[in-house]
Amino acid sequence: MACSVELKNVDKSFFTLRGRVDVMRGISLHIEPRELFVLLGPSGCGKSTLLNMIAGLEKPTAGSITIGDAVVADPGRGVFIDPFRRNVAMVFQSYALYPHMTVRANIAFPLTNLKPRPPAGDIGRKVREAARLLRIEELLDRKPAELSGGQRQRVAIGRAVVREPKVFLMDEPLSNLDAQLRTEMRAQLKELQRRLGITTVYVTHDQMEAMTLGDRIAVLNEGVIQQLGTPAGVYAHPSNVFVARFVGSPPMNLFEGAVKRDENTRVVLRTADGDILLPERLGADLVAQGKERCILGIRPEHIEPVAAGQGNFDSRISVVENVGSEYLASLFLKSGHIVVRAQHEPQPGPAGLRFASDRLHVFDAGARSSVE
Amino acid sequence: MARPGIPEETCKRILIAAGAALLLVFALSPFFWMLWVSLTSRPDFLFTKTVEYTLANYTNVLTSPTLHFTDYFRNSLIVASVTAVAVTLIASVAGYAVSRMRFPGRVAIPLFVLAMSMFPPISIVGYLYQWFSSLGLVNTHAALIFPYSALTVSLALWINMSYFAQIPVDLDRAALVDGASRMAVLFKIVFPLALPGIFSAFLLVFIACFNEFLFALMLTIDPFAQTLPVGIALFEGLHGEVPWGNLMAASAMATLPLVALTLIFQKYIVQGLMGGAVKG
Ligand SMILES: Nc1ncnc2c1ncn2[C@@H]1O[C@H](COP(=O)(O)OP(=O)(O)OP(=O)(O)O)[C@@H](O)[C@H]1O
Ligand SMILES: [Mg+2]
């Protein structure tokens, strides 16, 4: 019963009193059956809009959307299936529980809309099953107002799972929970999705959630897909500066500068904060390509603090934070806030930074996309 | 402000109580006056030494074949309830459409409806009379139900719109995704949550129709269709004097349905139905 979801060249514009707002451009995605697919992007990039289009709550302006074998939206051919005929389930950013109904009635609601309507006995059994799955059995007779945030969230998920939909759509379901509950619910959600084997599109602005949950993730910015791939793949090979900064915490360090030779004819990146010595291979490649300016990226864990003069770059560590299992050293440079992640406590003051030479990322200074 | 010795809290309470008492006296004194007069045998008792209490006025109004009180009462109930039910239904569905769906005119329509209800009744009643005469509607219940509906629908529409606006749109969207058609969303989600507003609208429309005078006076002719306000106004005494006792008794009984409706609906017109809908 697991369905694929396919979007082809989907555009979305809103037509408001103040004119046309283009929110989404050329979105193409193929989501496999049973996959847990994560849409990751900053606030306002169009994640909810994309989810709403799959649900049928918004119509695409152009392009087509297919769920399973059925084309559900294709404005070019005048096709649009109403949301209540799509058999998808959605957990809303706001939970959207029906406040005048008990938890039991909330969870039963999708079943009562089926045609033909299942017998009361079946509905009751399925509601109890869903409640047991989510451990909210003792809450069934309460109203939403009498529940905590985490409980409401479970009810919202219960309402989604109760009728075995073709696709689950989840719009930042964990964003309003406290950190501890969020981690717990994240693991539970993943386990639940595996067990039910229902294709899921999960929206979040939290890169941590995306990394831990997703089979694959799509990074979205300003209505355009920036990169599509496995969490590990996206983390290891960000395709542009936006993805490099957005995925990973603390984010990747970036240095922009000119490719030059220093007095010893070694290839360096001349930045506002001084010369960064490039590894021989990389330097040779950049010179061979005739690159004059580029952006060098390196993740905090791939920098090792060493004695001044021993690394690729000499600078000053300003602050060292102990975050429990490791240390975060901060450098406030003209290039920005540079973070180094270290196992052993670095000392504030002058230091050299040694970059792991096989972990350097180079981005084009103009297009800001990866050159490799 | 509070002088030493009198706590500010006490001051506040006294002021609130005084304000409430003033308001009550102002609103209720005509009503008690009416009840009082209706229960006395002579309306000029203020100028006599003795007051004699009696239910004669009530029995007279209810039993007199010439006063037609029960006819008027029935007509008023029919006209007011049919109008209130129809207007509430129309205004609920229309209110949902203009507050939730995107279509051209969603801003203009409520304003247009509001403008319609701003015509002074006196300016349209003459034309309505001619029109309804040619349709054979004069002196029927329909002659009142149609204009009442047209004139009160804006009131109900605007009340409903303001209530619908308080219901998070995500609830509609969730219900749609949960497989409910637009109509099902309306009846299972939006209406139950907007009940206080819908009841308020029903009540206000009912009261407006029940008390309306001008149209009823012009568009109905005899007790077959005339409503209470007109009927009571046309009460005649034996020798041409104003039959105060009968008038007041009839008026007191005329307020009964309104009081009853208000008491019934009051428990629904409470706030706080919306708790727990959305997080935060
Ligand atoms: N009905 C609308 N009319 C006009 N613009 C809209 C409408 N709905 C959304 N937008 C715009 O579309 C863009 C994307 O909105 P969307 O809600 O999809 O963002 P999001 O990625 O879900 O953000 P968040 O993380 O804050 O929920 C925003 O710039 C928003 O202003
Ligand atoms: Mg959103």
Side-chain angles (χ1 to χ4, degrees), chain B residues 40-62:
Chain B
T40 54
S41 56
R42 296 170 50 114
D44 53 355
F45 64 88
L46 274 188
F47 310 107
T48 62
K49 291 273 147 54
T50 55
V51 183
E52 204 182 307
Y53 291 100
T54 168
L55 284 174
N57 290 322
Y58 287 87
T59 48
N60 188 32
V61 164
L62 284 172

Side-chain angles (χ1 to χ4, degrees), chain A residues 12 14 52 55 57-58 83-84 88-90 92-101 106 109-110 112-113 117 144-145 152 159 163 172-176, chain B residues 102 107 167-185 187-193 272-280:
Chain A
K12 174 69 186 175
F14 286 106
N52 288 339
L57 296 169
E58 294 286 355
F84 50 91
V88 299
M90 187 155 170
F92 286 75
Q93 205 165 351
S94 64
Y95 305 151
L97 300 181
Y98 311 125
H100 57 306
M101 299 184 187
N106 263 281
F109 188 73
T112 63
N113 291 317
R117 186 181 166 134
R152 283 180 205 177
R159 191 173 66 185
R163 85 188 135 139
E172 311 203 21
L174 306 181
S175 60
N176 270 41
Chain B
R102 276 181 236 155
V107 181
I167 302 174
V169 187
D170 269 359
L171 294 185
D172 302 39
R173 297 155 78 86
L176 282 175
V177 177
D178 281 344
S181 64
R182 277 280 175 194
M183 274 298 150
V185 172
F187 284 98
K188 292 182 178 175
I189 308 292
V190 177
F191 282 1
L193 289 173
L273 275 175
M274 215 61 71
V278 293
K279 59 190 167 191

Side-chain angles (χ1 to χ4, degrees), chain A residues 18-37:
Chain A
R18 263 163 274 108
R20 193 175 117 162
V21 190
D22 295 321
V23 171
M24 205 129 272
R25 258 167 305 135
I27 301 282
S28 291
L29 282 176
H30 183 90
I31 299 165
E32 302 290 340
R34 296 171 179 279
E35 188 174 23
L36 205 177
F37 189 88

Side-chain angles (χ1 to χ4, degrees), chain A residues 44-181:
Chain A
C45 71
K47 307 179 296 288
S48 298
T49 305
L50 188 56
L51 217 54
N52 288 339
M53 285 195 288
I54 300 176
L57 296 169
E58 294 286 355
K59 296 183 184 183
T61 314
S64 73
I65 302 175
T66 312
I67 299 177
D69 315 320
V71 179
V72 292
D74 185 350
R77 289 192 289 138
V79 177
F80 182 78
I81 311 271
D82 284 317
F84 50 91
R85 294 186 214 286
R86 290 195 184 185
N87 194 16
V88 299
M90 187 155 170
V91 177
F92 286 75
Q93 205 165 351
S94 64
Y95 305 151
L97 300 181
Y98 311 125
H100 57 306
M101 299 184 187
T102 60
V103 168
R104 188 189 306 281
N106 263 281
I107 298 178
F109 188 73
L111 297 175
T112 63
N113 291 317
L114 293 179
K115 300 216 166 60
R117 186 181 166 134
D122 285 6
I123 293 182
R125 187 171 47 74
K126 287 194 169 163
V127 169
R128 279 193 302 277
E129 260 170 39
R132 188 161 56 239
L133 200 65
L134 292 158
R135 292 187 276 123
I136 46 175
E137 287 154 294
E138 69 287 353
L139 306 177
L140 282 176
D141 293 311
R142 295 209 200 158
K143 291 269 182 73
E146 301 157 340
L147 302 178
S148 72
Q151 291 169 332
R152 283 180 205 177
Q153 202 264 345
R154 279 165 210 263
V155 175
I157 295 174
R159 191 173 66 185
V161 303
V162 74
R163 85 188 135 139
E164 295 138 31
K166 286 182 179 167
V167 182
F168 274 150
L169 304 173
M170 305 206 176
D171 194 351
E172 311 203 21
L174 306 181
S175 60
N176 270 41
L177 302 181
D178 62 58
Q180 198 177 348
L181 195 55

